[in-house]
Amino acid sequence: MYDALIQFIRERFPGDAAIALHEPHFWGNEKKYVSEAISSTFVSSVGEHVIRFEEEIAALIGTDFAVAAVNGTAALHISLILSGAESGDEVVTQPLTFVATCNAMSYAGLNPVFVDVDRETLGMSPLALQQWLDENVERRDAGAFNRKTGRRVRAVVPMHTFGHPCRIDEIAKICKDWNLKLIEDAAESLGSLAGGKMTGSIGDFSILSFNGNKILTTGGGGMICTNDEAAAKRAKHLTTTAKVPHSWDYIHDEVGYNYRMPNLNAALGRAQLEQLDGFLTSKRRLAAEYRDFFTNRSETFVDEPAGAKSNFWLNAIIMENRAERDILLKTTNEAGVMTRPVWELMHRLPMFSGAERGDLANAEWLAERLVNLPSSARKVAP
Ligand SMILES: *Cc1c(COP(=O)(O)O)cnc(C)c1O
């Protein structure tokens, strides 16, 4: 039934018996930089590569500061703390996301609130956010409060799903109006543009992930981006066990975290970063081929939203219904072509099932139909 699709994908990844959803590629200076880092003995939490990698990411995203972290989840945890959210507060996010977004909230004692996504962007719907705030939240001197739970609402965390930018400018306006901090979960969208601006440059904070399955990997790693100098300093402090800088004394002035990115990983990341343009070009080309393939078929290719430029981290299609989705998943996976449904929605997971939420019709509609297709970068002819 899906023979043509399987053949189409096989032709694009020839020679792979099993075709992965997303594979990392080390086509550049990875071995050189990592081996130099080993020779220098600076393999761990101190080293030039971390500092350079932070500078390079800040320059790319266009924020004044970038602070490296051991992974994207840790970067989110720290960003949430820096947003001023305190244990017991509520943070608004989307139910269609990777579990890390909500886990980080739990680490900080925060309660996720779920509002719906747009069908077009797969990211948080500004309308759904506005509606939830209008219906549930009142402004008091001490901030915005959920009338029903009595909890303070402090921040909003939209996610740029599969690399497609959500309507972040509209969300930013709403956050400003309600005096809520905006944290972009840009873990999947490195290199994507929302209205000409890099995703990750719009929020008060944004986070990136360099996990092995992301567009660019450090093995494991993350980044906190911000224009707020004091917050960036505090991010460094909190990720470095809150150690007070001193030539020999070990003084820590609060409970901190060992969330540093090791120098070895930053060395790998810098070599990867040199190839980002090539990865982006390759992924854009593959997306165009998928777009052509799905023209005049019953499945709908998830294209980049109007006015946005996606990094096409993971290509996705929307099936007609759940039954069709399941047939496609079964057929392709049995044929050695890895395809996957979207994550179980957050409000359906046991630990977040009691969370406050708006109407989630779009997320629920999408969850039954979305399928991710093999999306690894391929070598681009120079
Ligand atoms: C990958 C990812 C993260 C964080 O991932 P780490 O594996 O901790 O680096 C956070 N949010 C989303 C949406 C992600 O896809």
Side-chain angles (χ1 to χ4, degrees):
M1 174 144 195
Y2 290 104
D3 288 353
L5 175 61
I6 290 166
Q7 191 193 336
F8 171 87
I9 294 172
R10 284 225 163 271
E11 281 168 6
R12 268 138 200 93
F13 297 96
D16 294 0
I19 298 171
L21 208 59
H22 200 283
E23 260 183 348
H25 288 300
F26 305 109
W27 290 325
N29 289 315
E30 285 86 354
K31 281 188 181 155
K32 181 165 177 274
Y33 293 176
V34 170
S35 141
E36 282 169 6
I38 292 170
S39 302
S40 77
T41 77
F42 287 100
V43 296
S44 192
S45 46
V46 178
E48 271 300 295
H49 283 298
V50 176
I51 297 161
R52 292 283 99 79
F53 191 46
E54 288 175 338
E55 289 169 356
E56 288 162 6
I57 290 289
L60 172 70
I61 301 294
T63 52
D64 292 340
F65 306 96
V67 178
V70 70
N71 56 50
T73 314
L76 264 167
H77 182 194
I78 296 298
S79 299
L80 287 160
I81 293 172
L82 294 174
S83 75
E86 288 167 5
S87 188
D89 287 349
E90 291 181 353
V91 175
V92 186
T93 189
Q94 58 196 63
L96 188 111
T97 186
F98 178 55
V99 71
T101 314
C102 299
N103 280 343
M105 294 174 188
S106 294
Y107 303 164
L110 304 170
N111 301 290
V113 171
F114 300 114
V115 299
D116 210 1
V117 295
D118 284 324
R119 283 197 194 183
E120 192 206 345
T121 68
L122 315 180
M124 182 182 283
S125 158
L127 287 174
L129 173 64
Q130 181 75 60
Q131 189 177 352
W132 186 81
L133 290 167
D134 285 341
E135 287 174 4
N136 295 281
V137 177
E138 63 183 29
R139 302 163 201 259
R140 299 186 198 154
D141 291 344
F145 282 81
N146 182 333
R147 256 191 305 261
K148 185 173 141 211
T149 61
R151 297 175 187 140
R152 189 172 69 149
V153 183
R154 184 67 210 179
V156 178
V157 186
M159 198 274 278
H160 302 293
T161 309
F162 307 147
H164 299 304
C166 67
R167 288 153 69 187
I168 190 72
D169 280 332
E170 290 165 73
I171 292 169
K173 248 188 226 136
I174 297 167
C175 288
K176 200 156 181 227
D177 178 38
W178 285 85
N179 200 16
L180 302 170
K181 292 286 185 201
L182 175 58
I183 302 171
E184 285 179 86
D185 184 340
E188 305 181 355
S189 67
L190 181 66
S192 300
L193 297 169
K197 283 178 280 188
M198 276 280 174
T199 57
S201 70
I202 298 118
D204 297 289
F205 300 94
S206 69
I207 72 98
L208 305 174
S209 167
F210 308 112
N211 191 42
N213 62 341
K214 298 286 158 55
I215 189 163
L216 199 152
T217 187
T218 58
M223 196 71 77
I224 303 159
C225 301
T226 183
N227 291 320
D228 180 337
E229 183 170 13
K233 282 204 175 120
R234 194 157 148 67
K236 198 52 154 181
H237 189 61
L238 282 176
T239 53
T240 319
T241 61
K243 185 179 183 300
V244 180
H246 190 279
S247 305
W248 55 80
D249 269 341
Y250 294 108
I251 308 289
H252 305 263
D253 59 2
E254 62 185 306
V255 175
Y257 302 87
N258 181 11
Y259 278 175
R260 290 167 292 192
M261 175 187 284
N263 201 46
L264 265 188
N265 300 73
L268 185 62
R270 293 187 68 206
Q272 286 268 286
L273 193 52
E274 292 172 352
Q275 297 165 83
L276 181 62
D277 285 347
F279 291 158
L280 288 168
T281 305
S282 163
K283 291 168 82 67
R284 176 157 288 274
R285 190 173 299 175
L286 179 61
E289 290 168 8
Y290 274 130
R291 180 188 298 122
D292 284 350
F293 180 86
F294 288 108
T295 307
N296 301 322
R297 284 184 60 111
S298 61
E299 307 88 9
T300 307
F301 177 68
V302 179
D303 216 329
E304 58 194 353
K309 192 166 180 189
S310 177
N311 69 0
F312 288 104
W313 170 56
L314 280 190
N315 288 287
I317 50 174
I318 298 173
M319 306 296 294
E320 279 191 295
N321 54 51
R322 188 182 193 113
E324 283 299 317
R325 182 198 76 167
D326 291 346
I327 295 168
L328 178 123
L329 288 169
K330 187 166 188 299
T331 316
T332 48
N333 282 290
E334 280 177 0
V337 172
M338 190 173 182
T339 58
R340 287 289 180 266
V342 74
W343 316 278
E344 180 68 277
L345 297 175
M346 292 302 109
H347 65 287
R348 290 175 174 159
L349 299 181
M351 56 288 191
F352 306 118
S353 61
E356 294 296 305
R357 66 181 87 139
D359 174 66
L360 304 178
N362 286 340
E364 286 173 354
W365 186 88
L366 285 165
E368 301 219 307
R369 292 168 176 80
L370 275 175
V371 174
N372 286 124
L373 302 172
S375 300
S376 304
R378 298 166 295 166
K379 269 214 157 123
V380 184

